[in-house]
Structures are given as C-alpha cells and as structure tokens.
Amino acid sequence: STLGRLSSLTTLMNAVVPQLDEGDELVIVAQGEFEAVYDLVRSHETQTVGTLTFTTSERGASRGRNAGVRNRRAPATDPLVMFPNDTSWFAEGSLEAIRRTASVHDLAGVPVLVEGAPRFVLPHPGTPLDARNVWSVIEMGLVIRLSLLEAVGGFDEAIGTGADSPWQAGEGTDLILRVLKQNPTLADEMVWATHPLAYVGGVGERTGLSRSERRWKLRAYGRGVGRVYRVHPFPIWQRLGFVAAGLLIGFRRRAEYGVMDGGPAFLGRLEGLIGRTLGGRHPDAAVAR
C-alpha cells in the first residue's frame, strides 16, 4: 500500500516487476495520489510475465494489505503472500531466493536490511517461534500462506501504521500470534531464511522525519507494540522489560535515536501496556505512517 511516494514506489516496482514469474502477482494499493500511482502501475505492465493489479483503499497499512489480498486477480490457489512497504526494495534474484526458502512451507521470516545490516537478527534455522523471537519478524519480512491469513481475518485494521487509533504499530506480530493460536504446531515449522539473497531492503525508522515527528512516531509505535503485549499472553517480566527498555532506546548499538528520545518511547510503551493514552493529542496518522 502507498500514500503516493512515487520515487520510492518506482524504485520498488523497477526491482520487483522483472522478477515476477508467471502466476506471481504484485498488487499496488493506492491510498493517495491515485491517478499517478495508477499510471505508474500501467507503465510497468509490459515488463513482466506476472500480473500487476491496481486497487485503492482508505488510509492505514493494515487496511491496505487486506485490500490488496481481497482484490488480487492472479488465479493461484493458496499462494504465499508478502507485504513490502512502498519504501522497500528487492535485490536482483531476491524473489527467487525467497520463493525457494518458503515455497513448501506456510510461514517464514525474511531479514529486512537497512543500510546493509538487518533490522533484527533472525534466529538459527530450526528455532521454534516463541514469545521472544516473534518480534524479529516485521511486516515487510513476513511470508505467510494465504489460507492462514484469511482464516484469522487478515490484519486487524484498528491497529498499525496509519490506523484510526493510538495503536500505530504491532499489527504484524498481532497477526502472527493470532495465527499461532489457531495453529500451534506452526511454531515448530517456522522457517528462518538463510539464503544470502533472501532479504528485503528497507529504510531507517527516522528517515525524513524532524525531531518532533520522530518523537511522535516513537510514542505512537510504542503504544501499538505495548498494546500487543497487553492483549496477548506475554509473561509480566517481558511486558515490564519492554516498557523500561524504552528509556534506553538512544543507547542501543547502531541507535537511530538520541538519548532524549527515550522519554516518548517509554511513555508510548506504557500507554500501550495500560490500554489508554496519558494526555496530549494522538499522533498524526500521516506522520506515524
């Protein structure tokens, strides 16, 4: 889904479209700049043997992902689905590497690289999915069988980036946990990608944001993730540790944030854990997106 970031969306499409095989489909869900996005999709149709689909939805990443799944046109039965952002990119050969990694499985995690390093280091192959490593699978790196996604009703549209709520993150983890609740054996069948080309490129969390926007985003995302900790059965020590760690966000290795950013991160995480906001305005959805 895209708000209409044409430059980054063009980069994504230039990389993905030539890699699509017959039976593959790329669905672009426009949530802004509709005509320009439509024209961009149409301009790429002759560059692939796969299917390119244009559709629209109201704003919100969860809404967009669900709309993309509903409006797919390719005839493949129970395919694997991925959810890149409009700022994601794929190296040459990466789609085939991801396909080989996940083709006979139902759930897989693929690294998301930012500035040449993974956002989260994935567990070793064979490691079961659990309450700690589930956080290493973020939306852009999730590969899931369509039937599993549909069985739980897709992404929760009341949460996630751009949603009409204070809970501006955590939609991917929430989805995985709901899938595991219905299918507990999938925890032992989780595939962690190891092929050197099986990855998705991304951008840093603070890219293009001012200091105030960055802090609102930290608080908004903290609220969303805190909510996931609240509504799913995580141990109390893990919930409290997550909130406390917000204060140290500027001290992490390769930290994208400053020392003073710890306050908004801590506050947002606390709000998510207790289930209510503590004064002030809600973060702007466009900024959080």
Side-chain angles (χ1 to χ4, degrees):
S1 58
T2 178
L3 295 175
R5 300 184 182 100
L6 295 181
S7 177
S8 59
L9 182 60
T10 299
T11 298
L12 170 65
M13 296 191 68
N14 287 344
V16 171
V17 171
Q19 296 188 54
L20 296 178
D21 281 348
E22 196 170 350
D24 292 342
E25 181 172 13
L26 174 63
V27 185
I28 303 296
V29 184
Q31 298 179 330
E33 302 294 336
F34 301 102
E35 292 185 8
V37 174
Y38 176 83
D39 290 341
L40 180 62
V41 174
R42 295 284 81 88
S43 71
H44 282 75
E45 286 184 324
T46 60
Q47 302 171 27
T48 184
V49 296
T51 300
L52 297 186
T53 298
F54 170 87
T55 189
T56 64
S57 81
E58 295 182 2
R59 292 196 173 194
S62 293
R63 287 195 186 103
R65 296 178 187 121
N66 289 343
V69 169
R70 285 195 306 270
N71 292 288
R72 66 191 187 281
R73 296 188 295 130
T77 57
D78 206 11
L80 290 167
V81 188
M82 292 189 72
F83 303 94
N85 290 338
D86 60 1
T87 53
S88 301
W89 51 271
F90 289 77
E92 184 177 354
S94 62
L95 285 191
E96 182 58 28
I98 294 170
R99 187 196 314 277
R100 291 183 180 181
T101 295
S103 60
V104 296
H105 302 280
D106 294 324
L107 197 63
V110 176
V112 177
L113 268 59
V114 176
E115 298 178 356
R119 281 273 304 272
F120 297 97
V121 177
L122 300 186
H124 294 295
T127 303
L129 192 64
D130 60 27
R132 298 195 69 173
N133 61 37
V134 68
W135 298 102
S136 62
V137 187
I138 57 178
E139 290 77 15
M140 299 88 78
L142 172 64
V143 186
I144 186 171
R145 189 70 60 183
L146 177 62
S147 57
L148 294 177
L149 182 75
E150 292 181 327
V152 297
F155 288 89
D156 183 347
E157 297 184 6
I159 64 175
T161 51
D164 297 328
S165 78
W167 324 119
Q168 294 284 306
E171 68 273 27
T173 306
D174 171 78
L175 172 70
I176 295 171
L177 292 172
R178 287 188 284 118
V179 168
L180 287 180
K181 185 176 181 180
Q182 284 194 2
N183 309 269
T185 59
L186 282 178
D188 293 322
E189 300 170 16
M190 179 71 181
V191 177
W192 305 103
T194 58
H195 191 289
L197 285 178
Y199 67 86
V200 180
V203 299
E205 288 187 344
R206 58 178 291 180
T207 300
L209 299 181
S210 67
R211 183 174 64 179
S212 61
E213 289 172 337
R214 182 178 77 234
R215 290 177 178 174
W216 273 114
K217 181 175 181 178
L218 272 171
R219 184 172 175 181
Y221 277 33
R223 282 171 172 159
V225 176
R227 175 198 173 276
V228 175
Y229 273 109
R230 177 172 57 86
V231 302
H232 291 283
F234 288 94
I236 187 63
W237 62 264
Q238 192 175 354
R239 294 175 177 176
L240 297 178
F242 165 73
V243 174
L247 291 171
L248 304 176
I249 197 168
F251 294 93
R252 296 185 306 186
R253 186 171 64 89
R254 298 184 65 251
E256 294 186 72
Y257 301 102
V259 173
M260 299 303 293
D261 291 334
F266 170 81
L267 183 58
R269 294 178 182 200
L270 178 62
E271 290 172 319
L273 194 60
I274 65 176
R276 64 185 182 89
T277 57
L278 300 173
R281 64 179 179 87
H282 288 177
D284 186 287
V287 171
R289 176 70 181 276

